[in-house]
Amino acid sequence: MTAVLAIIHAGLAAAWVGGMAYSLFVIQPKLKRYFGPDAAGREALTTVIASGNRWKVIGLIVAITLSGVGLLLLNDEHWWIHAIKGMLLLMATVIFWYVSWKHWPARVFATTAELPVLQRRLIVLATTMLALAGLAFALGVVATHL
């Protein structure tokens, strides 16, 4: 049971980290290269790509949390690692909340002049979120070898 839950937990975490990394290091640079100085065109396609993903990511975060709690209930020997992972994921989730409910609406209604600043801000926020979730994932791998 523990092994199956650990595989589910790690797989979900890998999906979140992988999705963020793909967006940040593949999609965003290609959009920037393709659209060049056309910030409005880039923004329009970015909005289409991102549309509807909020609730999928929330479901992913909930599933990661529930499977992590399940693992902790099955084996609390290294509870402190789970506590650190939980805090890192909570911080990443807070950033995700901000991006989803504050940053994106600001981008949708931004003027062309405001877009470059908002696009750069998203890169910083996404990089921070990726670093937090990636570190939590790495701690989970470390925990399996203690």
Side-chain angles (χ1 to χ4, degrees):
M1 176 68 165
T2 302
V4 170
L5 192 55
I7 290 169
I8 291 169
H9 183 68
L12 293 169
W16 192 25
V17 169
M20 286 189 288
Y22 184 73
S23 175
L24 190 59
F25 299 120
V26 177
I27 300 296
Q28 295 303 320
K30 285 186 178 188
L31 287 173
K32 189 174 186 177
R33 195 167 42 250
Y34 182 80
F35 284 101
D38 180 12
R42 177 176 156 203
E43 193 63 21
L45 184 55
T46 300
T47 301
V48 169
I49 291 170
S51 179
N53 290 338
R54 176 186 296 159
W55 294 106
K56 293 172 187 170
V57 174
I58 289 171
L60 193 59
I61 292 168
V62 169
I64 291 167
T65 301
L66 292 176
S67 60
V69 168
L71 285 171
L72 181 59
L73 292 174
L74 291 172
N75 182 359
D76 65 355
E77 183 179 0
H78 302 292
W79 64 269
W80 57 274
I81 290 180
H82 294 289
I84 294 169
K85 282 175 44 184
M87 290 304 299
L88 293 168
L89 290 173
L90 178 60
M91 291 187 301
T93 301
V94 168
I95 294 170
F96 178 77
W97 177 88
Y98 173 80
V99 167
S100 294
W101 278 274
K102 297 290 184 182
H103 183 84
W104 274 106
R107 284 177 73 159
V108 168
F109 296 107
T111 65
T112 304
E114 295 169 323
L115 283 177
V117 171
L118 291 169
Q119 290 167 339
R120 285 190 302 273
R121 184 176 300 149
L122 180 64
I123 297 299
V124 171
L125 291 166
T127 301
T128 304
M129 198 169 27
L130 175 60
L132 291 166
L135 182 56
F137 182 77
L139 283 174
V141 172
V142 168
T144 63
H145 296 288
L146 293 178

